[in-house]
Amino acid sequence: MADVDTEPVEQAPRRRRRAVRGALLVALAAGLAAAGVAVAGRRSGPSEPARTAADAPPGTGSDGTGGATSSTTSGRLVRRSYQPGDCVDWSDSGTQFLAGRTEVVTCDRPHVLEVTGRYQVVEPSLSYPKPDYWDALFASGACHRLGEAYLGAPLDPEGNYYVHGLLPTADGWAHGDREVWCGLGVRPYDAQQLATGGNVPSTGRVEAGGQYRLYPAGSCLGDVPGTDGPVYGVVPCESPHDQEVSGYVDIAGRAQQLPGADGWYAVAGKDCERVGRAYAGAALRDPVVAVPVPFGAASWDAGRRQVMCVLAQFHGQDIVTVTRRIRP
């Protein structure tokens, strides 16, 4: 296919008004309540990630946290053909699209998109589709299906990968261009990057087993700046935060179905207490509590079986925000 100038559409991984794992805060409160800690409520806080789309023009994408609002930037990239498995980068991928070409790179180099396939829009239309159309294409439509086929597994909507792609420009559309290159991007853990949105480069290939959102032990989780719901990312432990990851418990084989709201502590609570003590190197004493953080049904259906354990500090019935490590 000949190179054609196209106008990229940037979309940051959409910001879903929920915690990293589907209402993380609510889940944490449920876990604490199951552990016998009364929780009345918590301060309100921001929301989370964003997704992106890019190239001949990239478009909206599904960040795996669901939800979405696209932001479009004007710029020009040169459209080209790709193959599934191509890792693609482009100019100034972290913020906006500048004049230039996309570049297919080896996947061990930073890139913002791993191509999962090509989709040809077949719906008749006299005008360029509205953002809602592209949203649906990535959230549940053809690009989402291509992503799952490429992974060989259901896509965890609360996980590390989000669906996005390269869309035709309005000008290209007017001249018959209906080609969309679908792909997967990787959401960062860092709260500041999540707040900024845009296409954040990553290295390595996507794989089904790598899609689950597993923060490294020792990570301090705080609100993502500029968001309006309980959404989390990794922050410096000297910054305000109210959770510290102590480790994980694998519940494969011990739970045949997703635990109910009051079942998480029974399945993983004692092990999270053990993990918390090992992480802290000492017994945990009030007001520090170790609890499992439940995850959603969609993550379970996508194959996740590891439960995140966190330490949280309480004052009475309120979760305390601190600017130091929570572990003793």
Side-chain angles (χ1 to χ4, degrees), residues 215-230:
Y215 293 92
S219 298
C220 293
L221 303 184
D223 290 328
V224 172
T227 55
D228 59 2

Side-chain angles (χ1 to χ4, degrees), residues 51-55 58 77 86-95 97 102-103 105 107 109-115 162-166 183-187 198-204 206:
R51 31 190 161 105
T52 95
D55 185 53
L77 293 173
D86 282 348
C87 291
V88 182
D89 195 30
W90 52 81
S91 300
D92 201 17
S93 55
T95 52
F97 302 97
T102 58
E103 179 185 9
V105 300
C107 295
R109 288 178 52 190
H111 58 276
V112 295
L113 178 74
E114 186 167 335
V115 176
Y162 64 94
V163 182
H164 67 132
L166 311 176
L184 295 172
V186 180
R187 291 169 46 215
N199 301 290
V200 178
S202 64
T203 57
V206 301

Side-chain angles (χ1 to χ4, degrees), residues 44-246:
S44 59
S47 52
E48 170 179 85
R51 31 190 161 105
T52 95
D55 185 53
T60 31
S62 164
D63 66 354
T65 55
T69 340
S70 72
S71 79
T72 303
T73 20
S74 180
R76 284 208 168 278
L77 293 173
V78 177
R79 176 181 282 284
R80 56 180 294 175
S81 292
Y82 306 91
Q83 296 295 325
D86 282 348
C87 291
V88 182
D89 195 30
W90 52 81
S91 300
D92 201 17
S93 55
T95 52
Q96 61 183 8
F97 302 97
L98 303 179
R101 294 175 180 269
T102 58
E103 179 185 9
V104 175
V105 300
T106 58
C107 295
D108 59 353
R109 288 178 52 190
H111 58 276
V112 295
L113 178 74
E114 186 167 335
V115 176
T116 57
R118 172 182 175 273
Y119 175 66
Q120 189 77 13
V121 178
V122 294
E123 293 88 340
S125 175
L126 298 178
S127 59
Y128 190 68
K130 301 293 185 185
D132 285 352
Y133 176 88
W134 302 121
D135 290 350
L137 185 70
F138 292 108
S140 60
C143 282
H144 183 88
R145 293 191 293 273
L146 282 168
E148 293 196 325
Y150 183 80
L151 279 181
L155 186 65
D156 182 355
E158 299 170 354
N160 290 326
Y161 305 150
Y162 64 94
V163 182
H164 67 132
L166 311 176
L167 307 182
T169 60
D171 286 346
W173 184 275
H175 290 85
D177 184 5
R178 300 291 187 273
E179 186 176 60
V180 177
W181 287 99
C182 305
L184 295 172
V186 180
R187 291 169 46 215
Y189 284 171
D190 180 81
Q192 193 59 55
Q193 288 183 319
L194 291 174
T196 302
N199 301 290
V200 178
S202 64
T203 57
R205 287 196 172 277
V206 301
E207 56 183 56
Q211 68 170 322
Y212 310 119
R213 199 95 174 134
L214 306 177
Y215 293 92
S219 298
C220 293
L221 303 184
D223 290 328
V224 172
T227 55
D228 59 2
V231 181
Y232 289 83
V234 175
V235 300
C237 293
E238 298 74 28
S239 297
H241 64 280
D242 55 23
Q243 296 167 63
E244 185 172 334
V245 180
S246 55

Side-chain angles (χ1 to χ4, degrees), residues 245-328:
V245 180
S246 55
Y248 289 85
V249 172
D250 191 338
I251 61 172
R254 60 169 93 168
Q256 302 308 310
Q257 59 186 13
L258 184 74
D262 57 353
W264 287 94
Y265 191 78
V267 172
K270 292 298 183 182
D271 280 331
C272 276
E273 291 178 1
R274 174 183 52 77
V275 167
R277 288 193 300 270
Y279 170 71
L284 299 177
R285 296 183 175 85
D286 289 341
V288 176
V289 181
V291 292
V293 178
F295 53 81
S299 293
W300 177 273
D301 292 343
R304 180 176 173 181
R305 295 297 183 269
Q306 288 188 296
V307 180
M308 183 169 74
C309 302
V310 300
L311 302 183
Q313 181 174 325
F314 271 73
H315 177 70
Q317 294 183 327
D318 296 322
I319 300 174
V320 176
T321 298
V322 300
T323 53
R324 54 169 172 71
R325 287 203 170 274
I326 297 173
R327 68 182 176 193

